[in-house]
Amino acid sequence: MNWGMLLALFGAGLAVTTNCFGSSKGVGMVAEAASPVITEDSSKFGKLLVLMLLPGSQGLYGLVITILSLTQIGVLGGEVIPNTAAGVARGGLFLVACLPMALGGLASALLQARVALTGVQLISKRPQDSGKAVTSASLVELYALLSFVSSLLMVMSINGIKW
Amino acid sequence: MGASITKYAYAVSGAHVYEKNYFRKSDMDKLLAAPSYEAVVAILQERGWTMPEDTRDSGKILDLELSRAWSWVQLSAPDPKIFRVLILRNDFHNLKAGIKCLLSDFDVDAQFCKPSSIDPSIMKECIENHAFEQLPAPFAELGQEVYDLLVRTGDGQMADVLIDRKCLDEITKEAEASGVDLLKEEMEIYTATCNIKTAFRAIKTGKDGAFLEKALSSGNKTISREKLIACAGAEKKMDELLSYLSTTSYSSGTKYLSSSPAEFEKWVDDQMLSLLLPTKYSPLGPEPLIGFYLGKEAEIRNIRIILAAKQNNLPLDVVSGRLRRLYE
């Protein structure tokens, strides 16, 4: 069993799974909340669509980290992680590198959805304030981006580490 | 609590959309200023209220609107069972009205309260056929007991005591079981103030502690049942009761008890409504749905007063003083 490879694949899988879970749950919640508003006034769909999409971005970030990891560990290119003690350590590093995205993305997707939900109520009552609703929800996006950049930098630099 | 709060996104959003049509203070002023009953009905119709064939039946208009709000709660909430406590008193009222009407040959249909968890037609059928066992617990046993009591003794007051006490006990039990703090707080105020009113009326009419022992419900945290019963045994019963109530969290309302029971009722309704206001902007959880339904009840209560006033040509200043706080 190549434990190094297993750990790296686990990390790559975790990054996309947790983010897709958070995003699907978030988008689903906001879309559910938006449907009664759209039923009442379908012209609000455009404004609500932005709010519905916002918690979905984390899933994409997770996918990018997964693909990048796979290109570094010999699945989609790069050097295959050797079945040695150093290989296990390298696999562990890939797992650790994926964690910021896996955890930060999951949390930010769910929390962003909650902000977006309040935005749905705002648009329902005062459609002219849709910009404020979108801006508020976008603030949470910053933390998903920070997680993404952290994981990205780590994944890209592991193979350059001299053991 | 049953369902996760995130499952309430659709239900809560729909409730908030629906709430936009709730009457505000300024709307109530317009209704008050309307020249006639028909003009008030026309305003309600403009706001999208469903009207029965006979618009002179104000009870039916209000029942339809409240049932519409209740239907939304039942159809959209992921865990509709926890909200049953909000309408439980209607079921107990219907049981009481059904049995009394049957024994006195009155038309029961006009006496039933809606919405209710047991369909009034089923309740009526079970009572008419004396098939109380077909009703769910606790109505089966209670219905049989009250029916036997009325047939045997004709003691309508004791029948009321039995049903009202059981109703309050069940409300406390179901509110606790719901696990929703807001529901527990709302029902605590409701049951505690019902006990206060019962104790006040009992003492005023010279009833003793043994009567209160049967009539007062148990399980309240904000009021002591034992102390209320003890007041009935004291030498200066009413002074003792008012003195005890002044030490409770209901002291600011119980001062109205002696002067105007209607004012006390209004104070209770306003207290219950003020607890709901923070839920008005919540995006998730069962609390906004509780606010949505009880807010509609408050609106209906005010419109009932206005419609009755218009039908009976009551002066505006008397009516406006009776209007409750709104969910706004």
Side-chain angles (χ1 to χ4, degrees), chain A residues 25 29-30 32-37 40 44 114 117-118 120-121 124-125, chain B residues 4-7 9-10 12-14 16-17 19-20 72 280-284:
Chain A
K25 177 107 180 155
M29 263 161 60
V30 182
E32 268 186 47
S35 58
V37 182
E40 186 212 21
K44 288 175 183 159
R114 295 188 74 143
L117 281 178
T118 57
V120 171
Q121 311 306 331
S124 160
K125 284 172 186 158
Chain B
S4 145
I5 63 163
T6 56
K7 291 189 176 158
Y10 174 74
V12 172
S13 175
H16 286 323
V17 168
E19 278 163 22
K20 286 197 292 180
W72 176 258
K280 201 162 165 52
Y281 301 100
S282 302
L284 292 170

PDB file of all heavy atoms in Angstrom, chain A residues 25 29-30 32-37 40 44 114 117-118 120-121 124-125, chain B residues 4-7 9-10 12-14 16-17 19-20 72 280-284:
ATOM      1  N   LYS A  25     -25.349  22.710  -0.201  1.00  0.00           N
ATOM      2  CA  LYS A  25     -26.268  23.002   0.910  1.00  0.00           C
ATOM      3  C   LYS A  25     -26.614  24.504   0.904  1.00  0.00           C
ATOM      4  O   LYS A  25     -27.779  24.888   1.053  1.00  0.00           O
ATOM      5  CB  LYS A  25     -25.581  22.604   2.221  1.00  0.00           C
ATOM      6  CG  LYS A  25     -26.354  22.899   3.459  1.00  0.00           C
ATOM      7  CD  LYS A  25     -26.913  21.649   4.069  1.00  0.00           C
ATOM      8  CE  LYS A  25     -27.701  21.993   5.321  1.00  0.00           C
ATOM      9  NZ  LYS A  25     -28.703  21.053   5.651  1.00  0.00           N
ATOM     10  N   MET A  29     -30.240  26.123   0.092  1.00  0.00           N
ATOM     11  CA  MET A  29     -30.974  26.909   1.090  1.00  0.00           C
ATOM     12  C   MET A  29     -31.423  28.250   0.522  1.00  0.00           C
ATOM     13  O   MET A  29     -32.576  28.659   0.691  1.00  0.00           O
ATOM     14  CB  MET A  29     -30.065  27.177   2.301  1.00  0.00           C
ATOM     15  CG  MET A  29     -30.261  26.222   3.449  1.00  0.00           C
ATOM     16  SD  MET A  29     -28.847  26.237   4.573  1.00  0.00           S
ATOM     17  CE  MET A  29     -28.812  27.908   5.120  1.00  0.00           C
ATOM     18  N   VAL A  30     -30.505  28.923  -0.162  1.00  0.00           N
ATOM     19  CA  VAL A  30     -30.843  30.255  -0.688  1.00  0.00           C
ATOM     20  C   VAL A  30     -31.902  30.128  -1.794  1.00  0.00           C
ATOM     21  O   VAL A  30     -32.844  30.928  -1.867  1.00  0.00           O
ATOM     22  CB  VAL A  30     -29.583  30.990  -1.200  1.00  0.00           C
ATOM     23  CG1 VAL A  30     -29.942  32.386  -1.687  1.00  0.00           C
ATOM     24  CG2 VAL A  30     -28.539  31.089  -0.102  1.00  0.00           C
ATOM     25  N   GLU A  32     -34.130  27.800  -2.053  1.00  0.00           N
ATOM     26  CA  GLU A  32     -35.415  27.488  -1.403  1.00  0.00           C
ATOM     27  C   GLU A  32     -36.072  28.757  -0.871  1.00  0.00           C
ATOM     28  O   GLU A  32     -37.271  28.970  -1.017  1.00  0.00           O
ATOM     29  CB  GLU A  32     -35.186  26.559  -0.203  1.00  0.00           C
ATOM     30  CG  GLU A  32     -35.296  25.099  -0.525  1.00  0.00           C
ATOM     31  CD  GLU A  32     -35.202  24.268   0.739  1.00  0.00           C
ATOM     32  OE1 GLU A  32     -35.879  24.585   1.724  1.00  0.00           O
ATOM     33  OE2 GLU A  32     -34.424  23.302   0.731  1.00  0.00           O
ATOM     34  N   ALA A  33     -35.236  29.587  -0.229  1.00  0.00           N
ATOM     35  CA  ALA A  33     -35.777  30.828   0.342  1.00  0.00           C
ATOM     36  C   ALA A  33     -36.208  31.791  -0.753  1.00  0.00           C
ATOM     37  O   ALA A  33     -37.134  32.578  -0.560  1.00  0.00           O
ATOM     38  CB  ALA A  33     -34.721  31.482   1.232  1.00  0.00           C
ATOM     39  N   ALA A  34     -35.533  31.715  -1.903  1.00  0.00           N
ATOM     40  CA  ALA A  34     -35.856  32.661  -2.989  1.00  0.00           C
ATOM     41  C   ALA A  34     -37.154  32.296  -3.696  1.00  0.00           C
ATOM     42  O   ALA A  34     -37.847  33.178  -4.210  1.00  0.00           O
ATOM     43  CB  ALA A  34     -34.711  32.699  -3.997  1.00  0.00           C
ATOM     44  N   SER A  35     -37.506  31.013  -3.698  1.00  0.00           N
ATOM     45  CA  SER A  35     -38.664  30.616  -4.511  1.00  0.00           C
ATOM     46  C   SER A  35     -39.982  31.282  -4.102  1.00  0.00           C
ATOM     47  O   SER A  35     -40.725  31.703  -4.993  1.00  0.00           O
ATOM     48  CB  SER A  35     -38.776  29.096  -4.615  1.00  0.00           C
ATOM     49  OG  SER A  35     -38.881  28.537  -3.354  1.00  0.00           O
ATOM     50  N   PRO A  36     -40.308  31.433  -2.794  1.00  0.00           N
ATOM     51  CA  PRO A  36     -41.558  32.151  -2.507  1.00  0.00           C
ATOM     52  C   PRO A  36     -41.515  33.619  -2.966  1.00  0.00           C
ATOM     53  O   PRO A  36     -42.527  34.171  -3.371  1.00  0.00           O
ATOM     54  CB  PRO A  36     -41.669  32.087  -0.976  1.00  0.00           C
ATOM     55  CG  PRO A  36     -40.791  30.986  -0.559  1.00  0.00           C
ATOM     56  CD  PRO A  36     -39.694  30.935  -1.563  1.00  0.00           C
ATOM     57  N   VAL A  37     -40.308  34.205  -2.920  1.00  0.00           N
ATOM     58  CA  VAL A  37     -40.176  35.611  -3.344  1.00  0.00           C
ATOM     59  C   VAL A  37     -40.400  35.716  -4.856  1.00  0.00           C
ATOM     60  O   VAL A  37     -41.091  36.620  -5.343  1.00  0.00           O
ATOM     61  CB  VAL A  37     -38.783  36.171  -2.963  1.00  0.00           C
ATOM     62  CG1 VAL A  37     -38.665  37.635  -3.343  1.00  0.00           C
ATOM     63  CG2 VAL A  37     -38.518  35.991  -1.474  1.00  0.00           C
ATOM     64  N   GLU A  40     -43.989  35.367  -5.779  1.00  0.00           N
ATOM     65  CA  GLU A  40     -44.746  36.601  -5.557  1.00  0.00           C
ATOM     66  C   GLU A  40     -44.443  37.631  -6.650  1.00  0.00           C
ATOM     67  O   GLU A  40     -45.330  38.310  -7.135  1.00  0.00           O
ATOM     68  CB  GLU A  40     -44.371  37.182  -4.177  1.00  0.00           C
ATOM     69  CG  GLU A  40     -45.210  38.372  -3.793  1.00  0.00           C
ATOM     70  CD  GLU A  40     -44.449  39.375  -2.949  1.00  0.00           C
ATOM     71  OE1 GLU A  40     -43.210  39.370  -2.973  1.00  0.00           O
ATOM     72  OE2 GLU A  40     -45.107  40.168  -2.275  1.00  0.00           O
ATOM     73  N   LYS A  44     -37.947  39.702  -9.641  1.00  0.00           N
ATOM     74  CA  LYS A  44     -36.829  39.748  -8.682  1.00  0.00           C
ATOM     75  C   LYS A  44     -35.837  38.608  -8.905  1.00  0.00           C
ATOM     76  O   LYS A  44     -34.839  38.508  -8.188  1.00  0.00           O
ATOM     77  CB  LYS A  44     -37.362  39.682  -7.241  1.00  0.00           C
ATOM     78  CG  LYS A  44     -38.063  40.955  -6.810  1.00  0.00           C
ATOM     79  CD  LYS A  44     -38.678  40.818  -5.447  1.00  0.00           C
ATOM     80  CE  LYS A  44     -39.429  42.087  -5.082  1.00  0.00           C
ATOM     81  NZ  LYS A  44     -40.417  41.857  -4.041  1.00  0.00           N
ATOM     82  N   ARG A 114     -26.149  31.809   4.917  1.00  0.00           N
ATOM     83  CA  ARG A 114     -27.024  32.430   5.932  1.00  0.00           C
ATOM     84  C   ARG A 114     -27.130  33.937   5.701  1.00  0.00           C
ATOM     85  O   ARG A 114     -28.189  34.520   5.864  1.00  0.00           O
ATOM     86  CB  ARG A 114     -26.507  32.141   7.340  1.00  0.00           C
ATOM     87  CG  ARG A 114     -26.580  30.656   7.662  1.00  0.00           C
ATOM     88  CD  ARG A 114     -26.252  30.396   9.088  1.00  0.00           C
ATOM     89  NE  ARG A 114     -27.344  30.813   9.937  1.00  0.00           N
ATOM     90  CZ  ARG A 114     -27.734  30.166  11.031  1.00  0.00           C
ATOM     91  NH1 ARG A 114     -27.104  29.078  11.387  1.00  0.00           N
ATOM     92  NH2 ARG A 114     -28.719  30.598  11.756  1.00  0.00           N
ATOM     93  N   LEU A 117     -29.368  34.453   2.853  1.00  0.00           N
ATOM     94  CA  LEU A 117     -30.780  34.272   3.221  1.00  0.00           C
ATOM     95  C   LEU A 117     -31.387  35.576   3.736  1.00  0.00           C
ATOM     96  O   LEU A 117     -32.510  35.929   3.386  1.00  0.00           O
ATOM     97  CB  LEU A 117     -30.914  33.213   4.325  1.00  0.00           C
ATOM     98  CG  LEU A 117     -30.828  31.757   3.908  1.00  0.00           C
ATOM     99  CD1 LEU A 117     -30.921  30.872   5.133  1.00  0.00           C
ATOM    100  CD2 LEU A 117     -31.937  31.417   2.946  1.00  0.00           C
ATOM    101  N   THR A 118     -30.609  36.286   4.555  1.00  0.00           N
ATOM    102  CA  THR A 118     -31.135  37.572   5.041  1.00  0.00           C
ATOM    103  C   THR A 118     -31.238  38.552   3.873  1.00  0.00           C
ATOM    104  O   THR A 118     -32.125  39.398   3.841  1.00  0.00           O
ATOM    105  CB  THR A 118     -30.244  38.175   6.158  1.00  0.00           C
ATOM    106  OG1 THR A 118     -28.931  38.320   5.651  1.00  0.00           O
ATOM    107  CG2 THR A 118     -30.208  37.306   7.389  1.00  0.00           C
ATOM    108  N   VAL A 120     -32.066  37.687   0.873  1.00  0.00           N
ATOM    109  CA  VAL A 120     -33.317  37.343   0.167  1.00  0.00           C
ATOM    110  C   VAL A 120     -34.496  38.090   0.796  1.00  0.00           C
ATOM    111  O   VAL A 120     -35.351  38.640   0.105  1.00  0.00           O
ATOM    112  CB  VAL A 120     -33.562  35.812   0.193  1.00  0.00           C
ATOM    113  CG1 VAL A 120     -34.939  35.465  -0.341  1.00  0.00           C
ATOM    114  CG2 VAL A 120     -32.487  35.086  -0.607  1.00  0.00           C
ATOM    115  N   GLN A 121     -34.495  38.117   2.138  1.00  0.00           N
ATOM    116  CA  GLN A 121     -35.590  38.832   2.834  1.00  0.00           C
ATOM    117  C   GLN A 121     -35.532  40.328   2.502  1.00  0.00           C
ATOM    118  O   GLN A 121     -36.564  40.967   2.317  1.00  0.00           O
ATOM    119  CB  GLN A 121     -35.493  38.681   4.366  1.00  0.00           C
ATOM    120  CG  GLN A 121     -35.300  37.280   4.888  1.00  0.00           C
ATOM    121  CD  GLN A 121     -36.344  36.314   4.393  1.00  0.00           C
ATOM    122  OE1 GLN A 121     -37.463  36.699   4.117  1.00  0.00           O
ATOM    123  NE2 GLN A 121     -35.966  35.063   4.261  1.00  0.00           N
ATOM    124  N   SER A 124     -36.768  40.895  -0.941  1.00  0.00           N
ATOM    125  CA  SER A 124     -38.213  40.693  -0.952  1.00  0.00           C
ATOM    126  C   SER A 124     -38.948  41.950  -0.495  1.00  0.00           C
ATOM    127  O   SER A 124     -39.965  42.328  -1.063  1.00  0.00           O
ATOM    128  CB  SER A 124     -38.540  39.509  -0.038  1.00  0.00           C
ATOM    129  OG  SER A 124     -39.871  39.537   0.356  1.00  0.00           O
ATOM    130  N   LYS A 125     -38.402  42.583   0.555  1.00  0.00           N
ATOM    131  CA  LYS A 125     -39.095  43.754   1.098  1.00  0.00           C
ATOM    132  C   LYS A 125     -38.670  45.052   0.406  1.00  0.00           C
ATOM    133  O   LYS A 125     -39.483  45.937   0.212  1.00  0.00           O
ATOM    134  CB  LYS A 125     -38.819  43.859   2.601  1.00  0.00           C
ATOM    135  CG  LYS A 125     -39.640  42.839   3.371  1.00  0.00           C
ATOM    136  CD  LYS A 125     -39.277  42.745   4.821  1.00  0.00           C
ATOM    137  CE  LYS A 125     -40.049  41.595   5.440  1.00  0.00           C
ATOM    138  NZ  LYS A 125     -39.463  41.069   6.639  1.00  0.00           N
TER     139      LYS A 125
ATOM    140  N   SER B   4     -33.690  20.229  11.464  1.00  0.00           N
ATOM    141  CA  SER B   4     -32.610  21.211  11.546  1.00  0.00           C
ATOM    142  C   SER B   4     -33.132  22.575  11.082  1.00  0.00           C
ATOM    143  O   SER B   4     -33.990  22.654  10.199  1.00  0.00           O
ATOM    144  CB  SER B   4     -31.476  20.724  10.647  1.00  0.00           C
ATOM    145  OG  SER B   4     -30.847  21.805  10.044  1.00  0.00           O
ATOM    146  N   ILE B   5     -32.589  23.643  11.687  1.00  0.00           N
ATOM    147  CA  ILE B   5     -33.143  24.963  11.369  1.00  0.00           C
ATOM    148  C   ILE B   5     -32.932  25.338   9.904  1.00  0.00           C
ATOM    149  O   ILE B   5     -33.689  26.117   9.353  1.00  0.00           O
ATOM    150  CB  ILE B   5     -32.605  26.082  12.293  1.00  0.00           C
ATOM    151  CG1 ILE B   5     -31.103  26.263  12.140  1.00  0.00           C
ATOM    152  CG2 ILE B   5     -32.987  25.844  13.727  1.00  0.00           C
ATOM    153  CD1 ILE B   5     -30.641  27.602  12.707  1.00  0.00           C
ATOM    154  N   THR B   6     -31.906  24.753   9.272  1.00  0.00           N
ATOM    155  CA  THR B   6     -31.655  25.113   7.873  1.00  0.00           C
ATOM    156  C   THR B   6     -32.768  24.615   6.949  1.00  0.00           C
ATOM    157  O   THR B   6     -32.924  25.107   5.845  1.00  0.00           O
ATOM    158  CB  THR B   6     -30.303  24.550   7.394  1.00  0.00           C
ATOM    159  OG1 THR B   6     -30.314  23.141   7.601  1.00  0.00           O
ATOM    160  CG2 THR B   6     -29.153  25.155   8.151  1.00  0.00           C
ATOM    161  N   LYS B   7     -33.547  23.649   7.430  1.00  0.00           N
ATOM    162  CA  LYS B   7     -34.646  23.138   6.601  1.00  0.00           C
ATOM    163  C   LYS B   7     -35.835  24.092   6.562  1.00  0.00           C
ATOM    164  O   LYS B   7     -36.811  23.845   5.875  1.00  0.00           O
ATOM    165  CB  LYS B   7     -35.093  21.769   7.126  1.00  0.00           C
ATOM    166  CG  LYS B   7     -34.050  20.699   6.907  1.00  0.00           C
ATOM    167  CD  LYS B   7     -34.580  19.338   7.211  1.00  0.00           C
ATOM    168  CE  LYS B   7     -33.512  18.296   6.869  1.00  0.00           C
ATOM    169  NZ  LYS B   7     -33.731  17.060   7.571  1.00  0.00           N
ATOM    170  N   ALA B   9     -35.675  27.201   5.517  1.00  0.00           N
ATOM    171  CA  ALA B   9     -35.419  28.334   4.616  1.00  0.00           C
ATOM    172  C   ALA B   9     -36.644  28.696   3.776  1.00  0.00           C
ATOM    173  O   ALA B   9     -37.038  29.857   3.694  1.00  0.00           O
ATOM    174  CB  ALA B   9     -34.232  28.015   3.717  1.00  0.00           C
ATOM    175  N   TYR B  10     -37.266  27.691   3.173  1.00  0.00           N
ATOM    176  CA  TYR B  10     -38.415  27.942   2.295  1.00  0.00           C
ATOM    177  C   TYR B  10     -39.614  28.451   3.091  1.00  0.00           C
ATOM    178  O   TYR B  10     -40.239  29.462   2.727  1.00  0.00           O
ATOM    179  CB  TYR B  10     -38.761  26.639   1.563  1.00  0.00           C
ATOM    180  CG  TYR B  10     -40.018  26.704   0.738  1.00  0.00           C
ATOM    181  CD1 TYR B  10     -40.043  27.390  -0.469  1.00  0.00           C
ATOM    182  CD2 TYR B  10     -41.185  26.073   1.168  1.00  0.00           C
ATOM    183  CE1 TYR B  10     -41.203  27.465  -1.226  1.00  0.00           C
ATOM    184  CE2 TYR B  10     -42.341  26.137   0.423  1.00  0.00           C
ATOM    185  CZ  TYR B  10     -42.346  26.831  -0.771  1.00  0.00           C
ATOM    186  OH  TYR B  10     -43.496  26.896  -1.507  1.00  0.00           O
ATOM    187  N   VAL B  12     -39.782  29.875   6.048  1.00  0.00           N
ATOM    188  CA  VAL B  12     -39.603  31.195   6.660  1.00  0.00           C
ATOM    189  C   VAL B  12     -39.661  32.296   5.603  1.00  0.00           C
ATOM    190  O   VAL B  12     -40.295  33.334   5.796  1.00  0.00           O
ATOM    191  CB  VAL B  12     -38.268  31.252   7.442  1.00  0.00           C
ATOM    192  CG1 VAL B  12     -37.969  32.664   7.905  1.00  0.00           C
ATOM    193  CG2 VAL B  12     -38.322  30.319   8.631  1.00  0.00           C
ATOM    194  N   SER B  13     -39.019  32.031   4.462  1.00  0.00           N
ATOM    195  CA  SER B  13     -39.034  33.039   3.407  1.00  0.00           C
ATOM    196  C   SER B  13     -40.472  33.293   2.935  1.00  0.00           C
ATOM    197  O   SER B  13     -40.888  34.445   2.756  1.00  0.00           O
ATOM    198  CB  SER B  13     -38.166  32.557   2.245  1.00  0.00           C
ATOM    199  OG  SER B  13     -38.246  33.450   1.186  1.00  0.00           O
ATOM    200  N   GLY B  14     -41.223  32.214   2.769  1.00  0.00           N
ATOM    201  CA  GLY B  14     -42.626  32.355   2.355  1.00  0.00           C
ATOM    202  C   GLY B  14     -43.432  33.127   3.390  1.00  0.00           C
ATOM    203  O   GLY B  14     -44.262  33.968   3.042  1.00  0.00           O
ATOM    204  N   HIS B  16     -42.289  35.350   5.481  1.00  0.00           N
ATOM    205  CA  HIS B  16     -41.920  36.771   5.435  1.00  0.00           C
ATOM    206  C   HIS B  16     -42.578  37.476   4.234  1.00  0.00           C
ATOM    207  O   HIS B  16     -42.960  38.648   4.323  1.00  0.00           O
ATOM    208  CB  HIS B  16     -40.405  36.930   5.384  1.00  0.00           C
ATOM    209  CG  HIS B  16     -39.724  36.652   6.711  1.00  0.00           C
ATOM    210  ND1 HIS B  16     -40.283  37.007   7.910  1.00  0.00           N
ATOM    211  CD2 HIS B  16     -38.540  36.067   7.017  1.00  0.00           C
ATOM    212  CE1 HIS B  16     -39.476  36.643   8.907  1.00  0.00           C
ATOM    213  NE2 HIS B  16     -38.413  36.058   8.376  1.00  0.00           N
ATOM    214  N   VAL B  17     -42.692  36.755   3.121  1.00  0.00           N
ATOM    215  CA  VAL B  17     -43.363  37.343   1.943  1.00  0.00           C
ATOM    216  C   VAL B  17     -44.834  37.607   2.284  1.00  0.00           C
ATOM    217  O   VAL B  17     -45.377  38.685   2.007  1.00  0.00           O
ATOM    218  CB  VAL B  17     -43.247  36.392   0.725  1.00  0.00           C
ATOM    219  CG1 VAL B  17     -44.181  36.825  -0.400  1.00  0.00           C
ATOM    220  CG2 VAL B  17     -41.812  36.348   0.219  1.00  0.00           C
ATOM    221  N   GLU B  19     -46.098  38.018   5.202  1.00  0.00           N
ATOM    222  CA  GLU B  19     -46.215  39.049   6.252  1.00  0.00           C
ATOM    223  C   GLU B  19     -46.243  40.477   5.694  1.00  0.00           C
ATOM    224  O   GLU B  19     -46.687  41.390   6.376  1.00  0.00           O
ATOM    225  CB  GLU B  19     -45.021  38.965   7.203  1.00  0.00           C
ATOM    226  CG  GLU B  19     -45.150  37.915   8.275  1.00  0.00           C
ATOM    227  CD  GLU B  19     -43.805  37.605   8.907  1.00  0.00           C
ATOM    228  OE1 GLU B  19     -42.884  38.444   8.835  1.00  0.00           O
ATOM    229  OE2 GLU B  19     -43.671  36.513   9.451  1.00  0.00           O
ATOM    230  N   LYS B  20     -45.728  40.634   4.477  1.00  0.00           N
ATOM    231  CA  LYS B  20     -45.722  41.990   3.908  1.00  0.00           C
ATOM    232  C   LYS B  20     -47.142  42.530   3.769  1.00  0.00           C
ATOM    233  O   LYS B  20     -47.351  43.734   3.707  1.00  0.00           O
ATOM    234  CB  LYS B  20     -45.025  41.978   2.538  1.00  0.00           C
ATOM    235  CG  LYS B  20     -43.533  41.835   2.664  1.00  0.00           C
ATOM    236  CD  LYS B  20     -42.818  42.217   1.399  1.00  0.00           C
ATOM    237  CE  LYS B  20     -43.095  41.234   0.302  1.00  0.00           C
ATOM    238  NZ  LYS B  20     -42.428  41.552  -0.949  1.00  0.00           N
ATOM    239  N   TRP B  72     -50.286  27.559   5.669  1.00  0.00           N
ATOM    240  CA  TRP B  72     -48.903  27.784   5.222  1.00  0.00           C
ATOM    241  C   TRP B  72     -47.922  27.133   6.200  1.00  0.00           C
ATOM    242  O   TRP B  72     -46.968  26.469   5.796  1.00  0.00           O
ATOM    243  CB  TRP B  72     -48.598  29.276   5.063  1.00  0.00           C
ATOM    244  CG  TRP B  72     -47.155  29.477   4.714  1.00  0.00           C
ATOM    245  CD1 TRP B  72     -46.157  29.866   5.539  1.00  0.00           C
ATOM    246  CD2 TRP B  72     -46.548  29.199   3.449  1.00  0.00           C
ATOM    247  NE1 TRP B  72     -44.959  29.861   4.887  1.00  0.00           N
ATOM    248  CE2 TRP B  72     -45.153  29.453   3.590  1.00  0.00           C
ATOM    249  CE3 TRP B  72     -47.009  28.751   2.214  1.00  0.00           C
ATOM    250  CZ2 TRP B  72     -44.246  29.284   2.555  1.00  0.00           C
ATOM    251  CZ3 TRP B  72     -46.099  28.585   1.180  1.00  0.00           C
ATOM    252  CH2 TRP B  72     -44.748  28.852   1.344  1.00  0.00           C
ATOM    253  N   LYS B 280     -38.970  38.589  13.530  1.00  0.00           N
ATOM    254  CA  LYS B 280     -39.464  39.146  12.271  1.00  0.00           C
ATOM    255  C   LYS B 280     -38.400  39.170  11.174  1.00  0.00           C
ATOM    256  O   LYS B 280     -38.706  39.137   9.991  1.00  0.00           O
ATOM    257  CB  LYS B 280     -39.991  40.556  12.525  1.00  0.00           C
ATOM    258  CG  LYS B 280     -40.944  40.998  11.467  1.00  0.00           C
ATOM    259  CD  LYS B 280     -41.785  42.153  11.889  1.00  0.00           C
ATOM    260  CE  LYS B 280     -42.454  42.768  10.677  1.00  0.00           C
ATOM    261  NZ  LYS B 280     -43.164  41.832   9.844  1.00  0.00           N
ATOM    262  N   TYR B 281     -37.128  39.241  11.582  1.00  0.00           N
ATOM    263  CA  TYR B 281     -36.062  39.307  10.578  1.00  0.00           C
ATOM    264  C   TYR B 281     -35.186  38.057  10.571  1.00  0.00           C
ATOM    265  O   TYR B 281     -34.137  38.039   9.949  1.00  0.00           O
ATOM    266  CB  TYR B 281     -35.216  40.567  10.811  1.00  0.00           C
ATOM    267  CG  TYR B 281     -36.061  41.817  10.718  1.00  0.00           C
ATOM    268  CD1 TYR B 281     -36.523  42.469  11.837  1.00  0.00           C
ATOM    269  CD2 TYR B 281     -36.444  42.301   9.464  1.00  0.00           C
ATOM    270  CE1 TYR B 281     -37.341  43.581  11.734  1.00  0.00           C
ATOM    271  CE2 TYR B 281     -37.264  43.407   9.346  1.00  0.00           C
ATOM    272  CZ  TYR B 281     -37.714  44.043  10.486  1.00  0.00           C
ATOM    273  OH  TYR B 281     -38.535  45.133  10.378  1.00  0.00           O
ATOM    274  N   SER B 282     -35.615  37.013  11.304  1.00  0.00           N
ATOM    275  CA  SER B 282     -34.818  35.776  11.306  1.00  0.00           C
ATOM    276  C   SER B 282     -35.016  35.033   9.986  1.00  0.00           C
ATOM    277  O   SER B 282     -36.136  34.922   9.521  1.00  0.00           O
ATOM    278  CB  SER B 282     -35.267  34.849  12.435  1.00  0.00           C
ATOM    279  OG  SER B 282     -35.152  35.499  13.650  1.00  0.00           O
ATOM    280  N   PRO B 283     -33.906  34.527   9.406  1.00  0.00           N
ATOM    281  CA  PRO B 283     -34.066  33.831   8.126  1.00  0.00           C
ATOM    282  C   PRO B 283     -34.328  32.340   8.273  1.00  0.00           C
ATOM    283  O   PRO B 283     -34.717  31.679   7.312  1.00  0.00           O
ATOM    284  CB  PRO B 283     -32.716  34.070   7.437  1.00  0.00           C
ATOM    285  CG  PRO B 283     -31.746  34.231   8.549  1.00  0.00           C
ATOM    286  CD  PRO B 283     -32.490  34.757   9.741  1.00  0.00           C
ATOM    287  N   LEU B 284     -34.078  31.773   9.453  1.00  0.00           N
ATOM    288  CA  LEU B 284     -34.180  30.316   9.619  1.00  0.00           C
ATOM    289  C   LEU B 284     -34.824  29.953  10.950  1.00  0.00           C
ATOM    290  O   LEU B 284     -34.924  30.787  11.851  1.00  0.00           O
ATOM    291  CB  LEU B 284     -32.776  29.691   9.580  1.00  0.00           C
ATOM    292  CG  LEU B 284     -32.026  29.719   8.250  1.00  0.00           C
ATOM    293  CD1 LEU B 284     -30.590  29.282   8.454  1.00  0.00           C
ATOM    294  CD2 LEU B 284     -32.695  28.858   7.208  1.00  0.00           C
TER     295      LEU B 284
END
